[in-house]
Amino acid sequence: MPINTLNESELHRVLKSLYKENNEGSELEAQYGPYIVDIKTADGGVIEIQTQSLGHLADKVKYFTSKRKKIRVVFPIVKNKLIETRLLDGTVRKSRSPIHKSIYTSFRELTKLTPYLLSPYFFLDMVEVSIVEEREETEEKVQSRNGRRRFRQNWLKSGKRVKEIGKLTSFHGKKSWKALLPKSIPRDFHKGDLHKALTDDGVKLKPNDTSLMLWVYSKMELMERHKEGRGYIYKIK
């Protein structure tokens, strides 16, 4: 069995297979410098499929961009999730998760990558996916296996299946990031102006999502900001 595939999720495998097929002559699970990479492309670039926190890739992204090697990070966004829970009596209960993620709700994932987002060697693909999360009912309330769950529940995750691969949005360079901003937003604006403009455009997000988006854009130097009263006013560069 190849290195690093023992705990590989189906979502990771499916995306890795798709990108391998679209990159003729590429190599899976290759040693490249000090790292094992998901895909080493024929032109010497790297493709990393990251289904967990993007922040975990910060050191790897830093290494390859500093070596002037192209690195494409593929990050799936779970737009829709169906939950299948196998109950103790053997039957399966199905329900839909009320949580729907999007690019706009994923800026927390980018905070550790801000120094590299505009590197000419960095590429980011955000892929919308629909998945089925499999759960097993437990007799007693338990903590999650990874310890992340805040409260004990009477179920544990047992698997994850890919139902559909949806829209792909690619980011490379300033223009691609600025394309996320509503056309109605003025050159100078407050956080509330951006939040309203996005919601008017049909984007579902919380005020904190807007704050994180502005923080990332400011760190990327796509915007400048200065204090005004108790808040900030932003200006698109």
Side-chain angles (χ1 to χ4, degrees):
M1 182 173 288
I3 300 171
N4 282 359
T5 60
L6 285 172
N7 297 315
E8 189 176 55
S9 70
E10 184 194 19
L11 178 56
H12 191 279
R13 289 194 299 272
V14 168
L15 290 173
K16 189 167 67 173
S17 177
L18 287 174
Y19 276 81
K20 173 71 166 62
E21 290 175 6
N22 291 331
N23 288 271
E24 187 176 350
S26 59
E27 182 182 355
L28 293 177
E29 300 298 330
Q31 182 77 46
Y32 201 175
Y35 294 102
I36 299 293
V37 300
D38 284 332
I39 301 173
K40 181 180 178 181
T41 60
D43 63 358
V46 172
I47 300 175
E48 281 292 312
I49 315 299
Q50 186 67 9
T51 59
Q52 301 297 323
S53 172
L54 284 180
H56 293 161
L57 285 181
D59 289 342
K60 191 177 284 190
V61 170
K62 179 181 180 180
Y63 174 81
F64 286 108
T65 55
S66 69
K67 297 295 182 182
R68 299 184 178 182
K69 301 294 185 182
K70 293 180 181 178
I71 177 167
R72 181 177 299 276
V73 174
V74 182
F75 183 64
I77 297 173
V78 180
K79 187 175 181 180
N80 296 294
K81 179 165 66 175
L82 177 67
I83 300 169
E84 292 185 354
T85 305
R86 183 167 296 279
L87 304 178
L88 293 173
D89 63 7
T91 60
V92 176
R93 182 180 65 214
K94 297 182 179 182
S95 60
R96 291 195 176 276
S97 170
I99 299 173
H100 302 278
K101 296 183 180 180
S102 71
I103 292 172
Y104 293 95
T105 65
S106 302
F107 272 84
R108 183 178 298 279
E109 296 291 338
L110 301 174
T111 55
K112 290 186 178 180
L113 296 182
T114 52
Y116 321 110
L117 295 180
L118 293 181
S119 166
Y121 304 101
F122 180 80
F123 301 77
L124 175 64
D125 287 356
M126 288 191 169
V127 186
E128 292 182 356
V129 298
S130 296
I131 67 169
V132 178
E133 180 178 287
E134 299 166 340
R135 299 177 179 178
E136 296 284 342
E137 187 181 24
T138 58
E139 292 185 357
E140 298 179 354
K141 291 187 176 182
V142 294
Q143 179 58 275
S144 59
R145 291 190 175 98
N146 59 17
R148 292 180 182 175
R149 191 154 65 195
R150 186 176 179 183
F151 301 106
R152 293 176 181 267
Q153 301 283 357
N154 64 337
W155 54 265
L156 287 170
K157 292 181 183 179
S158 56
K160 189 183 294 183
R161 306 196 311 272
V162 180
K163 188 176 181 181
E164 183 181 9
I165 303 292
K167 181 181 176 182
L168 164 67
T169 304
S170 295
F171 296 92
H172 179 66
K174 294 180 179 180
K175 186 176 180 180
S176 61
W177 290 101
K178 287 185 176 181
L180 290 181
L181 296 171
K183 293 181 179 179
S184 60
I185 199 74
R187 184 177 176 84
D188 299 317
F189 59 94
H190 294 88
K191 182 184 79 172
D193 299 325
L194 176 59
H195 189 78
K196 184 179 184 304
L198 287 169
T199 53
D200 287 348
D201 283 352
V203 178
K204 295 181 180 180
L205 75 171
K206 298 177 181 178
N208 190 52
D209 296 322
T210 307
S211 298
L212 285 165
M213 182 179 182
L214 288 169
W215 187 91
V216 169
Y217 274 47
S218 297
K219 288 292 183 180
M220 292 168 67
E221 298 185 352
L222 293 176
M223 295 178 181
E224 57 187 40
R225 69 176 189 173
H226 63 267
K227 194 77 172 175
E228 185 180 82
R230 299 178 63 182
Y232 292 94
I233 188 167
Y234 297 84
K235 183 177 182 179
I236 303 171
K237 291 187 176 180

